[in-house]
Amino acid sequence: MKHDIDLGVENAKGVLRKALQQSKKQIIAFSGGKDAIVTAHIAAQLGIHEAVCETSFYFQRQLDDIKKMANILGLNVHWENRLDLAWLRKNKRVIFSSDSKVRSWTYAERQQKTIRKFSEANNFDCQIFGRRTEENTVKDVLYKTAAGLQCHPIRSWSTEMVWEYMKIHNLPVPWIYSTRVAEHGGNGPFYSMQAKNYGGEEACWQIVSSLDPRYTRQNILG
């Protein structure tokens, strides 16, 4: 496993070095999840410390934990919170949805649009993500879009490698992974849980409200 990780780190740094050569100003898309943590830790070794994090609809303890992690990693994080309660009520179909198209649209609206807008406003021409093909669709390690150069340095890593890297470097496991939310949903906002994985919507609401009393069906949907 250590050999795999050493090779993975070498490859990730190679991707990041190419990104540095092909762009002028780089920013890390930091969610605070395991993949983003590993990506940021490796990027920091090459002098990349600027990051942006979309925080809308995180649990309060989740957000507090992410901010502590950002300090550990030495990141200069720009905290964004673009989506409000009115947005979620207007788009309530996204809550606990299993529809892949809806989930993809939600990710684009929440994270990708935030990163794109922030990059455009602050002249970042390269965005660095922790997305991996084992869990997401990632067409290549480097490619260009209208938003700039898209960089995915740990694209080919396995989940096991991510956890082992964190263990080797004594990076603390985020709080969210100790909750039922992360059994299937990882580090996403509360509404990204899929009802089918938890026995229905009511079960999801019970889990969510037990972790953050702001997030009840009544408070969210009215």
Side-chain angles (χ1 to χ4, degrees):
M1 174 59 71
K2 187 177 186 304
H3 172 75
D4 292 340
I5 292 174
D6 288 344
L7 182 59
V9 171
E10 182 180 340
N11 289 338
K13 287 184 176 179
V15 172
L16 287 165
R17 289 190 180 101
K18 288 182 180 179
L20 286 168
Q21 293 171 356
Q22 296 176 29
S23 60
K24 296 180 180 179
K25 196 175 179 183
Q26 307 79 30
I27 193 161
I28 300 165
F30 187 67
S31 65
K34 65 186 189 306
D35 302 330
I37 290 169
V38 169
T39 299
H41 190 265
I42 296 173
Q45 295 171 43
L46 298 181
I48 305 170
H49 299 281
E50 294 295 319
V52 60
C53 182
E54 169 56 70
T55 66
S56 58
F57 299 109
Y58 273 157
F59 298 111
Q60 185 58 54
R61 187 169 174 183
Q62 181 182 16
L63 178 56
D64 293 342
D65 192 57
I66 290 170
K67 290 185 175 182
K68 289 179 182 178
M69 181 60 74
N71 288 332
I72 291 172
L73 295 170
L75 298 179
N76 178 28
V77 179
H78 305 271
W79 305 101
E80 297 288 314
N81 192 334
R82 288 183 46 254
L83 307 184
D84 57 15
L85 188 56
W87 178 89
L88 192 55
R89 285 176 174 170
K90 179 181 178 181
N91 298 285
K92 60 184 178 181
R93 71 187 185 285
V94 308
I95 301 174
F96 310 140
S97 175
S98 298
D99 186 313
S100 60
K101 291 183 178 180
V102 170
R103 293 174 64 81
S104 179
W105 175 82
T106 304
Y107 171 76
E109 281 292 303
R110 182 179 180 274
Q111 187 174 27
Q112 288 185 314
K113 186 174 286 187
T114 295
I115 294 164
R116 185 177 72 249
K117 286 181 175 294
F118 185 84
S119 294
E120 290 173 351
N122 296 277
N123 299 314
F124 288 98
D125 60 344
C126 174
Q127 296 84 37
I128 300 168
F129 298 86
R131 290 168 70 83
R132 299 179 294 111
T133 54
E134 190 176 275
E135 297 184 359
N136 298 283
T137 300
V138 189
K139 69 178 184 179
D140 205 347
V141 292
L142 285 174
Y143 57 91
K144 291 186 177 181
T145 69
L149 185 64
Q150 308 293 286
C151 179
H152 302 273
I154 65 168
R155 175 179 181 265
S156 63
W157 285 39
S158 67
T159 299
E160 186 180 10
M161 288 172 64
V162 171
W163 286 122
E164 186 64 21
Y165 181 95
M166 290 184 65
K167 181 179 179 181
I168 290 171
H169 293 278
N170 296 313
L171 296 170
V173 176
W175 164 80
I176 194 67
Y177 294 104
S178 69
T179 72
R180 287 201 62 198
V181 172
E183 289 178 6
H184 302 282
N187 185 60
F190 85 87
Y191 60 73
S192 65
M193 294 171 66
Q194 298 185 57
K196 69 176 185 180
N197 293 329
Y198 296 91
E201 290 187 11
E202 189 55 42
C204 287
W205 282 118
Q206 290 177 5
I207 294 169
V208 165
S209 61
S210 71
L211 297 173
D212 192 323
R214 294 176 301 168
Y215 300 145
T216 65
R217 183 194 295 272
Q218 179 63 33
N219 288 346
I220 298 300
L221 299 180

Coordinates of all heavy atoms in Angstrom, one line a residue, residues 17-18 44 50 53 58 68 87 96 104 123 130 135 140 156 167 176 179 187 221:
R17 N 2.3 20.1 -10.9 CA 3.4 20.9 -11.5 C 3.0 21.3 -13.0 O 3.3 22.5 -13.4 CB 4.7 20.1 -11.6 CG 5.3 19.9 -10.2 CD 6.7 19.3 -10.2 NE 7.2 19.1 -8.9 CZ 7.3 18.0 -8.2 NH1 6.8 16.9 -8.8 NH2 7.8 17.9 -7.0
K18 N 2.3 20.5 -13.7 CA 1.9 20.8 -15.0 C 0.8 21.9 -14.9 O 0.8 22.9 -15.8 CB 1.2 19.6 -15.7 CG 2.3 18.6 -16.2 CD 1.6 17.4 -16.9 CE 2.6 16.4 -17.3 NZ 1.9 15.2 -18.0
A44 N -0.3 22.0 -1.0 CA 0.5 22.9 -0.1 C 2.0 22.6 -0.2 O 2.8 23.5 0.0 CB 0.0 22.8 1.3
E50 N -4.1 28.9 -1.6 CA -5.4 29.6 -1.8 C -6.5 28.6 -2.0 O -6.3 27.6 -2.8 CB -5.3 30.6 -2.9 CG -4.4 31.7 -2.8 CD -4.8 32.7 -1.6 OE1 -6.0 32.9 -1.5 OE2 -3.9 33.1 -0.9
C53 N -14.3 27.7 -0.3 CA -15.2 26.6 0.2 C -16.6 27.1 0.3 O -16.9 28.2 0.8 CB -14.7 26.3 1.6 SG -15.7 25.0 2.4
Y58 N -24.2 23.3 5.4 CA -23.4 22.3 6.2 C -23.9 22.3 7.7 O -24.5 23.3 8.1 CB -21.9 22.8 6.3 CG -21.0 22.3 5.2 CD1 -19.9 23.0 4.9 CD2 -21.3 21.2 4.5 CE1 -19.0 22.6 3.8 CE2 -20.5 20.7 3.5 CZ -19.3 21.5 3.1 OH -18.5 21.0 2.1
K68 N -11.2 24.3 11.3 CA -10.0 23.8 12.0 C -9.1 23.1 11.1 O -7.9 23.2 11.1 CB -10.5 22.9 13.2 CG -11.2 23.5 14.3 CD -11.6 22.5 15.4 CE -12.4 23.2 16.5 NZ -12.8 22.2 17.5
W87 N -33.6 29.5 -1.7 CA -33.2 28.6 -2.8 C -33.6 27.2 -2.6 O -34.1 26.5 -3.5 CB -31.7 28.7 -3.0 CG -31.1 27.8 -4.1 CD1 -31.0 28.2 -5.4 CD2 -30.7 26.5 -3.9 NE1 -30.4 27.1 -6.1 CE2 -30.3 26.1 -5.2 CE3 -30.6 25.6 -2.9 CZ2 -29.8 24.8 -5.5 CZ3 -30.1 24.3 -3.1 CH2 -29.7 23.9 -4.4
F96 N -32.7 15.0 -0.4 CA -32.6 13.5 -0.2 C -32.9 12.8 -1.5 O -33.4 11.7 -1.5 CB -33.6 13.0 0.9 CG -33.5 13.8 2.2 CD1 -34.6 14.1 2.9 CD2 -32.2 14.1 2.7 CE1 -34.5 14.8 4.1 CE2 -32.1 14.8 3.9 CZ -33.3 15.2 4.6
S104 N -26.4 15.9 -9.9 CA -25.4 16.5 -10.7 C -25.7 18.0 -10.9 O -24.8 18.9 -10.7 CB -25.3 15.9 -12.1 OG -24.4 16.5 -12.9
N123 N -9.6 36.4 -10.7 CA -8.5 36.1 -11.7 C -7.8 34.8 -11.4 O -6.6 34.6 -11.8 CB -7.5 37.2 -11.8 CG -8.2 38.5 -12.2 OD1 -9.0 38.6 -13.2 ND2 -7.8 39.6 -11.5
G130 N -10.5 17.6 -5.7 CA -10.2 16.3 -5.1 C -11.1 15.2 -5.6 O -11.1 14.1 -5.0
E135 N -15.5 7.6 -7.3 CA -16.7 8.1 -6.7 C -17.4 9.1 -7.6 O -18.6 9.5 -7.3 CB -16.4 8.8 -5.3 CG -15.9 7.8 -4.3 CD -15.7 8.4 -2.9 OE1 -16.0 9.6 -2.8 OE2 -15.3 7.7 -2.0
D140 N -10.5 13.6 -17.0 CA -9.0 13.6 -17.1 C -8.4 14.4 -15.9 O -9.1 15.0 -15.1 CB -8.6 14.3 -18.4 CG -7.3 13.9 -19.0 OD1 -6.6 13.2 -18.2 OD2 -7.0 14.2 -20.1
S156 N -7.1 9.1 -9.9 CA -7.0 7.7 -10.0 C -6.9 7.0 -8.6 O -6.8 5.7 -8.6 CB -5.9 7.2 -10.9 OG -4.6 7.7 -10.4
K167 N -3.8 8.8 7.4 CA -3.2 8.1 8.6 C -1.7 8.4 8.6 O -1.1 8.7 9.7 CB -3.5 6.7 8.5 CG -3.0 5.9 9.7 CD -3.4 4.4 9.5 CE -2.8 3.6 10.7 NZ -3.2 2.1 10.6
I176 N -17.6 14.6 10.4 CA -18.8 14.1 9.6 C -18.7 12.6 9.4 O -19.7 11.9 9.3 CB -18.9 14.9 8.3 CG1 -20.3 14.6 7.6 CG2 -17.8 14.6 7.4 CD1 -21.4 15.2 8.4
T179 N -20.6 10.2 11.7 CA -22.0 10.3 11.7 C -22.6 9.3 10.7 O -21.9 8.9 9.8 CB -22.5 11.7 11.5 OG1 -22.3 12.0 10.1 CG2 -21.8 12.7 12.3
N187 N -19.2 14.0 2.7 CA -19.1 15.3 3.4 C -20.0 16.3 2.7 O -19.8 17.5 2.9 CB -17.6 15.8 3.3 CG -17.4 17.1 4.0 OD1 -17.7 17.2 5.2 ND2 -17.0 18.1 3.3
L221 N -38.8 23.5 5.1 CA -39.9 23.5 4.1 C -41.1 24.4 4.5 O -41.9 24.7 3.7 CB -40.4 22.1 3.8 CG -39.3 21.1 3.3 CD1 -39.9 19.8 3.0 CD2 -38.8 21.7 2.0

